[in-house]
Amino acid sequence: MGRRSLLLLLLLLAFLTPGAATPVPPALRALSSLHLSTSFRSRPAVAMKYSIHYIQQKVDHFGFHTDKTFKQRYLIADKHWKEDGGSILFYTGNEGDIIWFCNNTGFMWDVAEELKAMLVFAEHRYYGESLPFGANSFKDSRHLNFLTTEQALADFATLIKYLKRTIPGARNQPVIALGGSYGGMLAAWFRMKYPHLVVGALASSAPIWQFEDMVPCGVFMKIVTTDFRKSGPNCSESIRRSWDAISRLTEKGTGLHWLSEALHLCTPLTESQDVQRLKDWISETWVNLAMVDYPYESNFLQPLPAWPIKVVCQYLKNPNVSDTWLLQNIFQALNVYYNYSGQARCLNISETATSSLGALGWSYQTCTEMVMPFCSNGIDDMFEPHSWNFKEFSDDCFKQWGVKPRPSWIPTMYGGKNISSHTNIIFSNGEIDPWSGGGVTKDITDTLLAIVIPEGAHHLDLRANNAFDPVTVLLARSLEVRHMKQWIKDFYASLRKMH
Amino acid sequence: MGRRSLLLLLLLLAFLTPGAATPVPPALRALSSLHLSTSFRSRPAVAMKYSIHYIQQKVDHFGFHTDKTFKQRYLIADKHWKEDGGSILFYTGNEGDIIWFCNNTGFMWDVAEELKAMLVFAEHRYYGESLPFGANSFKDSRHLNFLTTEQALADFATLIKYLKRTIPGARNQPVIALGGSYGGMLAAWFRMKYPHLVVGALASSAPIWQFEDMVPCGVFMKIVTTDFRKSGPNCSESIRRSWDAISRLTEKGTGLHWLSEALHLCTPLTESQDVQRLKDWISETWVNLAMVDYPYESNFLQPLPAWPIKVVCQYLKNPNVSDTWLLQNIFQALNVYYNYSGQARCLNISETATSSLGALGWSYQTCTEMVMPFCSNGIDDMFEPHSWNFKEFSDDCFKQWGVKPRPSWIPTMYGGKNISSHTNIIFSNGEIDPWSGGGVTKDITDTLLAIVIPEGAHHLDLRANNAFDPVTVLLARSLEVRHMKQWIKDFYASLRKMH
């Protein structure tokens, strides 16, 4: 797997978080909604009606040289909110447009009535409309200087205090933080750093240990591989063999042309460095599939069938075929991901490299605080070997953003594996989600809980209820609700004790 | 009490923390050491030998635009440290030279052997030698931008991780944070924000609630007044009447001259605005005395007798005397504070306004994060009425530093009164210390403990053992040690459980 691919992998967290609005080209988005209206079976039953609001936030919570402010966007849905005995569910927005996240976090909508909850969705600074310097926000490292997790958490804290002060009845209500993926990390960290503002956190698919050497750098690709191995006979082996097949095929003069035709690429491969780009793009496709391997039809980046890896693997049953045959099979497999709708005319290998606000911001974050090492060895996983080279990574970051990553900062700030003194955090992970490798999958204490969903992909539990949900995710959600109810109950009990 | 006085009051935390090196002019310092060598009875028995070290710290832990570093100074004393079953006592440096603090925190030296402890004293950025921009550090708000509690705590966190990585045997040892006054706040906040790095904190005389409206703004001056009321008959009443007496005396043409002579001022009062300066200076003297009302001879800003307020009050027994007589008594009282050594030739009313690094840094901090409201009403206290006027305060800050204070930030960041989810913090307060009014003086939970020392002035418990210590401070120290031992024991127990 090439260097570029690993860099891009770091983007995937943004890319595949449900509702990361940014990297979906308009054409695909149109496709998706078409698809939705005809056959999407997981459409939540709950109508998602919210109001849009803005709060003035300090651009710099941690310095006083500038007193500049910017408008942070947030959404409120209070249909089921009760002043008496109610609660506030606070979505700690991650790297994308908050409306997209709001529409893709059905779980909160599904439980609002039971928890008498007001739903609040807070947009993360530097994403969506919440741009501290407007169009200049990504101009250079000076303008990007305030894009950190600490500033984002400070925004959330300020917003919660503001809501409690200004919404009649909200003052003495318990707030629970919820988030998925990077937003799940933020939810957990928010409870750790601001326990006075949230009584607990649900951190879904939050790889808080995917930093430094807390988990082996190869765990991510290993889980992707396991997903493919278990989804069909010889499936991962076929993929493992495909890399050399590509190399052999493209060594010959006509190979590039043949492969471009066989894979129906929109832009033919012309030079040898295109081969690495192709391999990276294919790798990313498998990774993406592992994350969105949901039990029902869904539409993230692409409209996909239920259990898409199983469908993919139907084309990859035989690794012992000729190189050309193997690559034709690979095309069929890719086509499941890129053309489930049947409307794509060709496949575009630069599709994941789209540059949008969300991708820009996340790329900067991975180059500063969110330094997550990844590697593969081709033995424990089905990818080409690639070691984690921090020096190279750091140099690339400096070239792109003019900043140097600080890989040990997140563990210093948020405690790494030593977090047992905190309370009331649920870490939920899907076992087939590659991000679970960097997540908390065992209880740490009796109030720092791990919920593992065997059939779960990336934060499946945060998605809306669906008739095809496996029973394990239903159980997970019901456990989550039970704990949230307990936190709410404890809050009101201690409130009564104080008065 | 005048506006200037209230502003200066905010400096007193720095001013009177034992060992705040900055505001003591060289002449006085010489006096103090002379005094020490002849009659200082509280000299600690323990020899204070330490080594001096430096660590490169990021100027900005929370932003990546600058990657600049600076040298933070810290001290280590490891005479009694044991690798086997030992501990690390970490002094969270406050607003002054760390060597001065080190020499004035005898408690740590006294308990080092019992706890098999390495002592570490970390200097606070922008104080002592730890200047991020050298001589330019206080130049303007751009250079001062990195002087915040968050950056200071991040320095401490980075230092602890560095020590554990580099000192053989330190890795698996429990660290306990200790600090007094502002440093006590930092110790408590450090445990709250970085519980993975310190197993507990001893926060001595830490007024963590002296913010916003968490305590009445008048509580501070009320305690000062109580100290004087209880230290001698009519003492506070004499002071209360002195303000009008000063006003009446200085209304007459010759009044300024007479008063300058009567008070032995180095520089005669010449204009009417000097009267307010005089009152502020006298007020500050009473406040200072309340903080350092120790049971034995001591030498902070000034060499002082044991229980100095009692000595002062011997001159203030009769409030029902003429204005001139009353002011002559006031002079005798002031003379206890400013001339216990008997060597002062005159009294200098601009003495507390000395501008030094420590005072500069603290002035900036009170104008940004550390916004502590103070007021007096002349009824519950013995001072002239003065309300807390945030607007005026803010304008003054902007004039002086070009920054605007954010009074609600500290409560947002550190939880205000809602801190019950934290653990292992001891808040100790002396009942006669005016700062106890903003401190935690009642247990919050069974691991967030309050220790009140009835005869204690400002962090008496952190001072070295002394033959004249009241039994209550001995009890407090023994309780503190007992809890620290428990934290250490718990740490090792959980370490064993993990292996």
Side-chain angles (χ1 to χ4, degrees), chain B residues 133-153:
Chain B
F133 301 97
N136 288 329
S137 297
F138 301 90
K139 201 175 159 191
D140 50 36
S141 68
R142 195 165 59 83
H143 288 87
L144 278 158
N145 193 45
F146 310 100
L147 172 50
T148 64
T149 57
E150 292 85 354
Q151 299 277 11
L153 296 183

Side-chain angles (χ1 to χ4, degrees), chain A residues 58 60 62-67 141-142 145 148 161 193-196 368 403 406 412-413 415 418 421-422, chain B residues 60 62-67 141-142 145 148 161 193-196 368 403 406 412-413 415 418 421-422:
Chain A
K58 300 283 180 201
D60 189 3
F62 302 102
F64 291 74
H65 176 56
T66 174
D67 210 41
S141 68
R142 196 166 59 82
N145 193 45
T148 63
K161 287 199 75 166
K193 295 295 185 184
Y194 297 84
H196 52 290
T368 47
V403 295
R406 299 175 191 165
T412 299
M413 186 68 188
N418 184 4
S421 70
H422 301 288
Chain B
D60 189 2
F62 301 102
F64 292 74
H65 176 56
T66 175
D67 209 40
S141 68
R142 195 165 59 83
N145 193 45
T148 64
K161 288 199 73 167
K193 295 294 186 184
Y194 297 85
H196 51 291
T368 48
V403 295
R406 299 176 191 165
T412 299
M413 187 67 189
N418 184 4
S421 70
H422 301 288

Side-chain angles (χ1 to χ4, degrees), chain A residues 162-219:
Chain A
Y162 171 79
L163 295 175
K164 290 208 155 197
R165 202 170 60 240
T166 54
I167 299 179
R171 192 186 164 84
N172 284 321
Q173 289 225 338
V175 183
I176 293 172
L178 299 96
S181 196
Y182 167 52
M185 301 197 219
L186 292 175
W189 293 339
F190 194 50
R191 168 65 186 168
M192 294 180 195
K193 295 295 185 184
Y194 297 84
H196 52 290
L197 295 178
V198 285
V199 298
L202 171 54
S204 178
S205 297
I208 60 165
W209 291 342
Q210 191 75 45
F211 295 89
E212 268 190 322
D213 52 0
M214 281 188 275
V215 297
C217 59
V219 69

Side-chain angles (χ1 to χ4, degrees), chain A residues 231-251:
Chain A
S231 295
N234 296 315
C235 190
S236 61
E237 191 53 30
S238 298
I239 293 171
R240 183 182 280 113
R241 296 198 183 185
S242 70
W243 313 115
D244 280 352
I246 293 173
S247 300
R248 281 189 297 266
L249 282 167
T250 52
E251 270 168 12

Side-chain angles (χ1 to χ4, degrees), chain B residues 158-360:
Chain B
T158 305
L159 175 54
I160 286 175
K161 288 199 73 167
Y162 171 79
L163 295 176
K164 291 209 155 197
R165 203 169 59 240
T166 55
I167 298 179
R171 193 185 163 86
N172 284 321
Q173 290 225 337
V175 183
I176 293 172
L178 299 95
S181 196
Y182 167 52
M185 302 197 219
L186 292 176
W189 293 340
F190 194 51
R191 168 65 187 168
M192 294 180 195
K193 295 294 186 184
Y194 297 85
H196 51 291
L197 295 179
V198 285
V199 297
L202 170 55
S204 178
S205 296
I208 60 166
W209 290 343
Q210 191 74 45
F211 295 90
E212 268 189 322
D213 52 359
M214 282 188 273
V215 297
C217 59
V219 69
F220 186 95
M221 291 311 224
K222 204 169 156 181
I223 296 171
V224 175
T225 303
T226 304
D227 292 347
F228 281 80
R229 204 184 60 238
K230 289 190 171 173
S231 296
N234 296 315
C235 189
S236 61
E237 191 53 29
S238 298
I239 293 171
R240 183 182 279 111
R241 294 198 185 186
S242 69
W243 313 116
D244 280 351
I246 292 172
S247 300
R248 279 189 298 268
L249 282 167
T250 52
E251 268 167 14
K252 298 174 215 158
T254 56
L256 288 176
H257 178 73
W258 181 87
L259 199 55
S260 304
E261 296 275 309
L263 298 181
H264 294 67
L265 301 186
C266 302
T267 312
L269 310 168
T270 54
E271 38 185 25
S272 60
Q273 69 195 48
D274 288 347
V275 177
Q276 192 54 54
R277 284 183 60 220
L278 176 76
K279 286 178 176 174
D280 294 345
W281 172 73
I282 296 174
S283 296
E284 283 162 42
T285 310
W286 309 142
V287 164
N288 292 1
L289 275 160
M291 280 195 262
V292 298
D293 195 24
Y294 292 129
Y296 46 78
E297 276 194 328
S298 63
N299 70 327
F300 283 131
L301 282 185
Q302 308 281 352
L304 284 178
W307 297 118
I309 300 186
K310 275 194 186 140
V311 181
V312 160
C313 286
Q314 283 170 5
Y315 300 100
L316 299 172
K317 288 177 178 169
N318 197 349
N320 299 312
V321 290
S322 68
D323 290 345
T324 51
W325 195 337
L326 183 58
L327 265 297
Q328 277 161 339
N329 289 347
I330 291 283
F331 165 71
Q332 296 296 334
L334 292 170
N335 209 37
V336 172
Y337 183 76
Y338 289 106
N339 198 18
Y340 180 56
S341 69
Q343 299 189 16
R345 300 208 173 155
C346 58
L347 305 189
N348 180 358
I349 73 162
S350 52
E351 206 150 85
T352 59
T354 167
S355 81
S356 70
L357 284 182
L360 276 176

Side-chain angles (χ1 to χ4, degrees), chain A residues 22 55-63 66-74 90-98 101 121-134 137-138 142-159 182 186 194 357-362 364-365 369, chain B residues 62-63 406 409:
Chain A
T22 47
I55 177 177
Q56 291 289 336
Q57 293 277 10
K58 300 283 180 201
V59 168
D60 189 3
H61 291 286
F62 302 102
T66 174
D67 210 41
K68 261 185 74 80
T69 59
F70 74 99
K71 282 200 306 182
Q72 178 189 24
R73 182 168 59 161
Y74 63 98
F90 188 92
Y91 184 88
T92 50
N94 31 324
E95 68 287 21
D97 187 295
I98 194 61
F101 286 127
F121 296 85
E123 192 159 65
H124 191 297
R125 54 167 59 200
Y126 287 86
Y127 295 97
E129 287 188 5
S130 301
L131 303 176
F133 300 98
S137 296
F138 301 88
R142 196 166 59 82
H143 288 87
L144 278 158
N145 193 45
F146 310 99
L147 173 49
T148 63
T149 58
E150 291 85 355
Q151 299 277 7
L153 296 183
D155 289 337
F156 297 154
T158 304
L159 175 55
Y182 167 52
L186 292 175
Y194 297 84
L357 283 182
L360 276 177
W362 186 247
Y364 174 84
Q365 287 196 261
E369 287 185 309
Chain B
F62 301 102
R406 299 176 191 165
W409 176 242

